[in-house]
């Protein structure tokens, strides 16, 4: 059996040790005589799996006690709707930072709700770097909230653009019409959660689809400060309401049990095999720094993002001669380097270096890129 080098943007590489453990337990979970995917989600065995996954995630991220951890479905995209539905019940204007494709999708979803319900959902763009082609994030002094801000939403790591924040945006409103504490910071961390340690207490809500750094597709983690659970718009469908999940241990209906179990195995892997998020960050920094160094030291490859805002997880790059793109991808695949094609909306290449991508995988990519340049450059 050969496992190739997988740079997919999502669903992404899983740690081999996690897949091996899942294989061992696939037919008979710890002597129970059945698979986790065949168990009732109300069984004590599954309840223990679910509770342990939450506990391990809490430890990894040092999540304070006044935050609830929800396991939902629908991906990050469903949270684009959940955020306004759950936070606009008391009125106010949703505020958004725009740094690329994913933050734009979140903004569109909030604007869409305006036609369903109220003009409150006319999102205020508190900062955007669209005009400069999204090669950096708004500087802190370029972020300007509306004075009735209900929340400030941003995307920490733009998976397609390869652009990430190097600071946590402020949620201070200049005219103190709304107390600072009332403007929760809401963050889409789908492609960066668990890649570094995180100060959860700076946030009101953090959410992430699983299929980048958490586990397989099909489950979505939402971390929400408990005082924000009573702000939902009244028409929020119950399956989109965070409070319903908080009140029912995320089992309002049948949860994606097997994805939940696999996410738990990934959390265990991060704790025990990697040694926690500080160690994970050190590995991730070595990975991306090696790849950016290889790109920057060549005239054949280029990455447009300003160094301070380069993503540690997603590294897009272009070839000086775009007519070689297809050849590059073909030869990469023959060398066992998979899923390097850039997103269809931007073209070029993209290497996603999520937690399960090893330093050896990245080294194999760099060696291939240097060899390709020597032969074709
Ligand atoms: C992948 C991704 C999404 C979309 O996730 P789905 O689970 O497909 O809805 C949203 N935001 C970011 C930053 C992503 O990387």
């Amino acid at each position: 059996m050969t496992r190739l080098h997988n740079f997919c943007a999502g669903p992404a590489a899983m740690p081999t040790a996690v897949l091996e453990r899942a294989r061992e337990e696939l037919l008979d979970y710890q002597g129970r005589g059945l698979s986790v995917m065949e168990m009732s989600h109300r069984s004590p065995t599954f309840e223990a799996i679910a509770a342990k996954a939450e506990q391990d995630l809490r430890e990894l991220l040092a999540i304070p006690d006044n935050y609830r951890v929800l396991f939902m479905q629908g991906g990050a995209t469903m949270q684009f709707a959940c955020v306004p539905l759950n936070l606009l019940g008391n009125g106010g204007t949703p505020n958004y930072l725009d740094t690329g494709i994913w933050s734009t999708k979140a903004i569109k979803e909030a604007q869409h709700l305006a036609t369903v319900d109220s003009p409150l959902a006319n999102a205020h763009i508190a900062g955007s770097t669209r005009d400069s082609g999204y090669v950096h994030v708004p500087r802190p002094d370029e972020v300007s909230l509306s004075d009735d801000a209900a929340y400030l939403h941003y995307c920490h790591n733009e998976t397609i653009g390869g652009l990430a924040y190097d600071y946590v945006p402020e949620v201070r409103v200049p005219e103190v019409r709304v107390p600072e504490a009332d403007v929760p910071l809401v963050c889409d961390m789908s492609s960066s959660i668990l890649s570094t340690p995180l100060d959860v207490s700076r946030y009101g809500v953090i959410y992430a689809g699983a299929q980048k750094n958490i586990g397989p597709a099909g489950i979505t983690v939402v971390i929400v400060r408990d005082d924000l659970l009573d702000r939902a718009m009244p028409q929020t469908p119950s399956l989109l309401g965070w409070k319903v999940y908080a009140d029912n241990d995320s089992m309002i209906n049948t949860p994606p049990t097997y994805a939940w179990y696999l996410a738990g195995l990934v959390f265990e892997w991060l704790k025990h095999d990697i040694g926690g998020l500080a160690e994970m960050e050190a590995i991730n920094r070595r990975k991306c720094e090696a790849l950016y160094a290889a790109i920057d030291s060549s005239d054949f490859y280029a990455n447009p993002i300003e160094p301070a805002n380069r993503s540690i997880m997603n590294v897009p790059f272009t070839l000086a001669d775009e007519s070689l793109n297809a050849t590059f991808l073909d030869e990469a695949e023959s060398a066992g380097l998979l899923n390097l094609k850039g997103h269809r909306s931007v073209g070029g290449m993209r290497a996603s270096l999520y937690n399960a991508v090893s330093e050896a995988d990245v080294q194999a990519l760099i060696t291939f890129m240097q060899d390709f340049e020597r032969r074709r450059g």
Side-chain angles (χ1 to χ4, degrees):
M1 183 201 67
T2 315
R3 283 180 51 77
L4 301 178
H5 309 288
N6 183 6
F7 300 96
C8 192
M14 293 276 290
T16 300
V18 165
L19 297 180
E20 284 169 343
R21 167 93 179 266
R23 180 176 61 185
E24 270 164 40
E25 296 179 338
L26 181 63
L27 298 186
D28 177 5
Y29 177 75
Q30 299 188 355
R32 304 299 198 286
L34 74 176
S35 177
V36 172
M37 69 179 87
E38 302 171 300
M39 279 175 196
S40 165
H41 56 294
R42 312 272 180 207
S43 64
T45 304
F46 187 77
E47 280 180 356
I49 290 170
K52 182 170 190 310
E54 173 173 343
Q55 194 48 44
D56 284 345
L57 181 64
R58 284 184 171 277
E59 275 176 43
L60 282 165
L61 289 171
I63 299 175
D65 288 344
N66 62 324
Y67 284 75
R68 303 298 302 269
V69 177
L70 316 178
F71 292 87
M72 298 176 67
Q73 302 191 46
T77 304
M78 194 176 88
Q79 295 305 315
F80 295 165
C82 291
V83 167
L85 285 169
N86 282 277
L87 293 177
L88 290 178
N90 298 346
T93 299
N95 280 230
Y96 283 82
L97 295 175
D98 166 28
T99 46
I101 289 171
W102 287 117
S103 44
T104 299
K105 287 190 187 227
I107 294 164
K108 291 228 165 90
E109 194 67 20
Q111 289 169 332
H112 170 70
L113 283 171
T115 64
V116 174
D117 174 62
S118 76
L120 296 176
N122 283 317
H124 168 75
I125 307 304
S128 170
T129 51
R130 173 189 291 261
D131 289 347
S132 49
Y134 298 127
V135 292
H136 60 85
V137 303
R139 317 280 176 224
D141 62 0
E142 294 167 346
V143 175
S144 139
L145 300 192
S146 68
D147 56 11
D148 61 346
Y151 59 82
L152 175 64
H153 178 282
Y154 77 111
C155 175
H156 173 252
N157 182 73
E158 287 280 1
T159 319
I160 295 169
L163 177 72
Y165 280 78
D166 54 339
Y167 70 96
V168 178
E170 289 282 341
V171 286
R172 224 161 293 211
V173 179
E175 347 239 317
V176 194
R177 261 186 55 200
V178 179
E180 177 190 335
D182 278 350
V183 185
L185 187 58
V186 180
C187 189
D188 176 0
M189 283 198 197
S190 294
S191 51
S192 53
I193 194 166
L194 296 171
S195 63
T196 67
L198 179 67
D199 181 358
V200 172
S201 71
R202 305 279 298 269
Y203 295 87
V205 183
I206 292 167
Y207 63 90
Q211 67 273 20
K212 283 83 184 228
N213 262 343
I214 293 175
I219 195 160
T220 308
V221 170
V222 181
I223 302 167
V224 53
R225 211 174 60 216
D226 54 17
D227 63 288
L228 300 174
L229 290 170
D230 60 2
R231 298 190 184 186
M233 295 163 84
Q235 73 274 34
T236 304
S238 52
L239 271 176
L240 301 187
W242 294 329
K243 186 165 191 307
V244 183
Y245 287 78
D247 290 345
N248 291 279
D249 295 325
S250 300
M251 296 203 197
I252 179 72
N253 67 339
T254 313
T257 51
Y258 200 69
W260 198 335
Y261 154 76
L262 288 171
L265 294 186
V266 170
F267 302 152
E268 261 189 73
W269 171 80
L270 278 168
K271 271 177 60 181
H272 297 122
D273 296 31
I274 299 296
L277 296 189
E279 185 53 36
M280 191 71 255
E281 174 173 20
I283 296 168
N284 285 331
R285 292 213 180 271
R286 289 198 297 271
K287 281 154 44 183
C288 73
E289 280 163 14
L291 182 53
Y292 284 122
I295 291 169
D296 290 345
S297 65
S298 129
D299 296 329
F300 189 75
Y301 300 106
N303 168 284
I305 306 300
E306 287 187 9
N309 295 135
R310 282 175 163 183
S311 166
I312 73 171
M313 292 278 97
N314 310 97
V315 181
F317 59 93
T318 51
L319 310 191
D321 178 357
E322 298 218 329
S323 69
L324 289 173
N325 282 1
T327 314
F328 179 93
L329 289 167
D330 281 351
E331 293 190 8
E333 200 169 319
S334 306
L337 303 157
L338 306 183
N339 293 310
L340 288 165
K341 193 173 174 28
H343 190 267
R344 60 188 185 279
S345 64
V346 293
M349 312 299 156
R350 172 175 49 169
S352 293
L353 312 182
Y354 298 121
N355 289 347
V357 175
S358 69
E359 292 185 82
D361 293 323
V362 177
Q363 203 45 59
L365 171 60
I366 292 170
T367 302
F368 169 80
M369 287 168 67
Q370 291 170 342
D371 179 58
F372 187 85
E373 179 178 355
R374 258 191 305 276
R375 289 183 291 106
R376 308 272 185 172

